[in-house]
Amino acid sequence: MTHMLLLYCFMFLLPTESCRTLCQVANKSKEKMSAGPHGVCDGVCVDNSHCSQPCPPDTQGNTGFLCRQKKWHKITETCRTLNAFNIFETNSYSVRPFGGNTVIKEYARKSETITDMLMQKCPEDLSCVLRNIRQSPRLPGNIAVIVQLLHNISTVLSTGVDEVKMQSYSIMANHILNSKSISNWTFIPERNSSCVLLHSVNSFARKLSINKYPIDISDVFIHTMGTTISQDNAGKNFTFSMRINDTGSEITGRVLIGRDELQKVPAPSRAISIAFPTLGAILEASLLENVTVNGLVLSVILPKELKRISLIFEKISKSEERKTQCVGWHSLESRWDQQACQIIQENSQQAVCKCRPNRLFTSFSILMAPHILESPILTHITYIGLGISICSLVLCLVIEVLVWGQVTKTEISYLRHVCIANIAATLLMADVWFVVASFLSGPVTHHNGCVAATFFVHFFYLSVFFWMLAKALLILYGIMIVFHTLPKSVLVAALFSVGYGCPLLIAAITVAATEPSKGYLRPEACWLNWDMTKALLAFVVPALAIVVVNLITVTLVIVKTQRATIGSSMFQEVRAIVRISKNIAILTPLLGLTWGFGIATVIDDSNLAFHIIFSLLNAFQGFFILVFGTILDPKIREALKSRVTSAKWSSRLSENLSTDFSRHPTKAPS
């Protein structure tokens, strides 16, 4: 009996069914599975400890458990019913696995795999395993066996894949892609099994030959379409409508090949597309990734000359709160990659993606973007603050105009008010364009408008920072007392070059470098892209650098102020502390130091408190500038008081003249 078992082990050697496994199964059967009951681990459950239990009778493999929080949790399972003895249809393979006077024919002297046997038994249509595969339970071990089989078939068959073979291949894949099997993929020890399946199906389809007529092979959970394309075509599209779960609801997906792209095809070629409604969820479950696929997974096999296609995905979850990311499956790194696609249009029902297929990227889908911290409190703070800020900045500019002649009599005060006025003007324009961009967000039908709004938001916010930098440099000059060494015209030219020239250069280079490849905008808003091109760095790096320079400036001002108090009385020290606090209060909003709180929101993005503080400080920045930069300035208050007094005096004089004229209407003026 032992010799017979060993003989069968060598006879049916295969990747997923090793000799050792089969022999162990035979021994377990002989021992009547004397281990503990299925699904129950013996011994005390200690956190992070493992145990293994045999599978139920009539199955092979075992189940692995991990102890977490004093309870056993199943983490792996290799239970299977399929093997080299029973995967083939009855009467197609006459060898019996155990007992009897079995006649070993030509297979006795060589090791075989299921794939080798399949190629011998039904090489024309691969159909001799279909019935038993379709009748097999979708256990994790069975799924792993079928994945390995599909992988081996796609490797062995280098040519000669016709519609009949593709039909059989799809039936096998369809069985393990069933929505009822999704949870079982999580227990397969080889976590990359779903990646292997996707690669195998794409590899097999790449060898599919298409003759005169289009191919349309439709199963419930995999749908393959193929046709020939040439320069004479006006355009090609594949449209899929597939069930995503057991409720019968369907979603659609379309692959569009434009006429201009077809002109690049030198000769009639194949175009094949495959749709998977459940593979996205299987990839998520088996890889344990924190991403959610929100549409069909669409694979495309196209001529290498085609560089760009359009994909239209109907959303599974039609929530408007979560934005969409167009992605391609990176075949080498086994992950979704946003660099393969960009979103062109989006609404609550569907998303339109422009993708670049190649050997690395064959499969595409849409992801539900990670949940962005959204709170009604933040929304209200932002828009209320912006409204108050815009009104405050308008009032600030009006006051500057009214008192300009009285507060800019010296060179230092003139340059200071030039900075304040331009900080207010650029922040006002930035806030206005921010509001405009919020209405255009989601470059669905307003892509060009969104690009323009993003450019101006980027430019004006950078201008705010660079004018704050200019003011900081003026303060440093004031501390160092070097104003008299430079002419006023040179200083003004330098200030405007820094305040507007540098931001314009940065903003123009950013849009010129990223927009041709559609990497300027982020998918969910009219703002600089981060995931594809890191265009956001063109704002973050200059802004943070300026914040650091301005922080140094504030430090120098505090040190300079404090030195004057050394050896002073208690009363003088208190006055110095008040003066230092006042300087900090005035300089902080004017030099943009409140933006430094943005670093805290990056470090801990989920902390609502950081977001509220950041929103409060920056949404109301225009109000802070009005208060600390204008109203608290004693010279401005004095100028306003003088102007109001002058206006009252002029009004009173006019009233007196009018009264006098009414009393003596016939009196001629002297």
Side-chain angles (χ1 to χ4, degrees):
M1 180 65 179
T2 304
H3 295 290
M4 188 65 68
L5 285 173
L6 290 174
L7 184 58
Y8 277 105
C9 287
F10 286 114
M11 191 179 127
F12 299 114
L13 186 65
L14 61 149
T16 57
E17 308 280 359
S18 67
C19 173
R20 181 183 302 173
T21 303
L22 292 177
C23 292
Q24 288 175 349
V25 170
N27 290 333
K28 286 181 181 178
S29 299
K30 192 160 56 177
E31 294 168 5
K32 304 297 183 183
M33 304 189 100
S34 59
H38 168 68
V40 178
C41 286
D42 297 327
V44 180
C45 180
V46 180
D47 280 355
N48 298 320
S49 61
H50 293 76
C51 85
S52 179
Q53 290 294 104
C55 291
D58 300 325
T59 61
Q60 304 166 16
N62 54 62
T63 305
F65 294 87
L66 172 66
C67 181
R68 291 196 299 261
Q69 297 179 350
K70 306 302 180 182
K71 290 184 179 180
W72 291 109
H73 298 270
K74 184 170 73 172
I75 56 172
T76 61
E77 182 183 323
T78 59
C79 299
R80 61 193 178 278
T81 60
L82 293 176
N83 54 47
F85 304 126
N86 61 21
I87 195 171
F88 294 94
E89 293 184 12
T90 307
N91 300 325
S92 66
Y93 196 66
S94 60
V95 179
R96 292 171 301 186
F98 301 107
N101 296 319
T102 306
V103 179
I104 310 293
K105 297 185 179 179
E106 67 270 20
Y107 308 111
R109 289 184 294 275
K110 62 179 181 179
S111 61
E112 299 285 344
T113 66
I114 293 178
T115 310
D116 294 331
M117 294 157 60
L118 178 63
M119 292 298 103
Q120 294 178 30
K121 289 298 174 182
C122 50
E124 297 298 324
D125 58 8
L126 310 179
S127 63
C128 54
V129 295
L130 296 184
R131 187 177 69 180
N132 288 347
I133 284 180
R134 283 189 290 191
Q135 291 177 353
S136 65
R138 299 179 183 89
L139 301 173
N142 283 346
I143 294 174
V145 170
I146 296 171
V147 168
Q148 187 66 56
L149 175 61
L150 293 172
H151 172 68
N152 291 346
I153 293 173
S154 66
T155 303
V156 170
L157 286 178
S158 56
T159 57
V161 177
D162 56 15
E163 185 172 358
V164 176
K165 289 189 180 72
M166 191 71 209
Q167 178 74 62
S168 297
Y169 197 90
S170 295
I171 291 172
M172 290 184 249
N174 183 74
H175 181 71
I176 56 178
L177 287 168
N178 193 295
S179 57
K180 296 178 181 178
S181 70
I182 294 176
S183 60
N184 286 338
W185 283 83
T186 62
F187 302 116
I188 301 176
E190 295 79 16
R191 292 295 183 191
N192 67 335
S193 293
S194 55
C195 310
V196 172
L197 175 64
L198 177 58
H199 175 76
S200 302
V201 173
N202 291 340
S203 178
F204 193 78
R206 196 177 295 277
K207 303 163 188 173
L208 177 62
S209 59
I210 300 174
N211 298 320
K212 185 176 180 181
Y213 301 104
I215 288 176
D216 191 336
I217 302 171
S218 179
D219 287 290
V220 178
F221 301 104
I222 177 173
H223 188 177
T224 303
M225 300 176 71
T227 187
T228 57
I229 56 174
S230 65
Q231 294 180 350
D232 298 331
N233 297 136
K236 285 289 183 180
N237 77 83
F238 301 103
T239 302
F240 302 93
S241 181
M242 305 188 73
R243 192 172 69 189
I244 57 171
N245 50 39
D246 299 327
T247 63
S249 59
E250 294 187 345
I251 59 170
T252 60
R254 296 180 66 191
V255 179
L256 306 176
I257 307 172
R259 184 173 184 176
D260 54 338
E261 284 292 315
L262 290 176
Q263 298 302 312
K264 302 175 183 177
V265 180
S269 306
R270 298 171 307 145
I272 300 167
S273 185
I274 311 168
F276 307 88
T278 57
L279 185 57
I282 289 172
L283 287 167
E284 178 185 352
S286 58
L287 297 178
L288 303 178
E289 287 192 351
N290 189 25
V291 296
T292 302
V293 176
N294 201 27
L296 296 176
V297 174
L298 298 178
S299 292
V300 290
I301 312 298
L302 300 170
K304 62 181 180 180
E305 290 82 8
L306 294 181
K307 303 297 184 183
R308 194 175 291 272
I309 59 173
S310 296
L311 301 170
I312 302 176
F313 297 94
E314 182 182 352
K315 296 180 179 180
I316 298 173
S317 173
K318 296 176 172 59
S319 170
E320 296 185 1
E321 296 180 0
R322 305 280 292 276
K323 298 300 181 180
T324 297
Q325 297 172 342
C326 295
V327 291
W329 182 258
H330 198 298
S331 58
L332 292 183
E333 300 180 2
S334 298
R335 62 178 177 82
W336 292 112
D337 193 324
Q338 295 186 61
Q339 295 188 14
C341 298
Q342 69 178 88
I343 191 162
I344 300 300
Q345 187 173 340
E346 180 191 4
N347 54 42
S348 61
Q349 301 296 314
Q350 66 178 22
V352 181
C353 306
K354 189 77 75 174
C355 299
R356 299 181 294 277
N358 53 50
R359 281 284 179 175
L360 280 182
F361 297 103
T362 303
S363 304
F364 306 92
S365 190
I366 54 173
L367 301 183
M368 191 180 295
H371 185 68
I372 300 172
L373 184 62
E374 293 182 1
S375 168
I377 298 175
L378 291 177
T379 303
H380 293 146
I381 289 174
T382 299
Y383 285 102
I384 292 173
L386 279 176
I388 295 174
S389 191
I390 289 173
C391 295
S392 300
L393 292 168
V394 171
L395 182 58
C396 178
L397 291 173
V398 170
I399 292 174
E400 286 289 338
V401 170
L402 291 175
V403 302
W404 187 265
Q406 295 174 270
V407 298
T408 58
K409 293 179 179 179
T410 66
E411 184 176 291
I412 296 177
S413 61
Y414 176 83
L415 295 173
R416 176 177 174 274
H417 282 277
V418 165
C419 289
I420 291 176
N422 280 280
I423 289 173
T426 52
L427 184 57
L428 174 62
M429 294 303 299
D431 287 347
V432 170
W433 277 106
F434 179 86
V435 174
V436 172
S438 68
F439 286 103
L440 297 174
S441 280
V444 181
T445 55
H446 307 286
H447 180 76
N448 292 334
C450 205
V451 169
T454 301
F455 174 82
F456 284 115
V457 170
H458 185 202
F459 167 68
F460 281 115
Y461 273 125
L462 277 180
S463 294
V464 172
F465 278 99
F466 275 95
W467 275 107
M468 291 174 177
L469 174 64
K471 182 171 175 58
L473 294 176
L474 282 178
I475 293 172
L476 289 177
Y477 285 151
I479 293 174
M480 298 166 64
I481 316 175
V482 296
F483 282 108
H484 63 279
T485 62
L486 295 173
K488 179 180 176 181
S489 58
V490 173
L491 284 172
V492 172
L495 290 177
F496 275 85
S497 297
V498 171
Y500 291 112
C502 294
L504 182 61
L505 186 64
I506 294 172
I509 291 175
T510 303
V511 69
T514 58
E515 177 55 22
S517 61
K518 302 301 181 184
Y520 184 58
L521 301 175
R522 59 177 58 190
E524 71 275 8
C526 290
W527 186 227
L528 300 173
N529 186 286
W530 172 254
D531 297 307
M532 285 181 60
T533 60
K534 301 294 186 289
L536 184 60
L537 290 175
F539 174 75
V540 173
V541 172
L544 290 181
I546 290 172
V547 167
V548 170
V549 172
N550 292 352
L551 184 62
I552 294 172
T553 302
V554 171
T555 304
L556 290 175
V557 171
I558 293 172
V559 171
K560 183 77 172 179
T561 309
Q562 199 171 21
R563 281 179 181 174
T565 66
I566 297 176
S568 303
S569 63
M570 179 70 70
F571 176 74
Q572 290 174 322
E573 288 182 3
V574 171
R575 291 186 60 186
I577 292 172
V578 172
R579 187 164 60 251
I580 291 171
S581 302
K582 181 180 177 182
N583 286 334
I584 294 174
I586 292 174
L587 290 176
T588 296
L590 288 179
L591 300 184
L593 302 184
T594 53
W595 288 78
F597 284 90
I599 299 174
T601 65
V602 174
I603 295 173
D604 189 359
D605 185 62
S606 62
N607 194 314
L608 183 61
F610 287 158
H611 285 269
I612 290 176
I613 293 172
F614 182 67
S615 297
L616 280 171
L617 291 175
N618 290 287
F620 289 89
Q621 192 168 15
F623 175 74
F624 296 149
I625 289 174
L626 171 66
V627 173
F628 296 114
T630 303
I631 296 177
L632 291 183
D633 189 326
K635 291 184 179 180
I636 291 179
R637 291 205 308 272
E638 187 65 30
L640 278 175
K641 184 178 179 180
S642 174
R643 191 171 182 87
V644 170
T645 303
S646 176
K648 287 182 178 179
W649 183 85
S650 298
S651 176
R652 189 174 300 171
L653 178 62
S654 176
E655 183 181 346
N656 290 338
L657 288 174
S658 176
T659 304
D660 186 60
F661 181 77
S662 62
R663 290 178 179 177
H664 308 283
T666 58
K667 184 177 180 181
S670 56

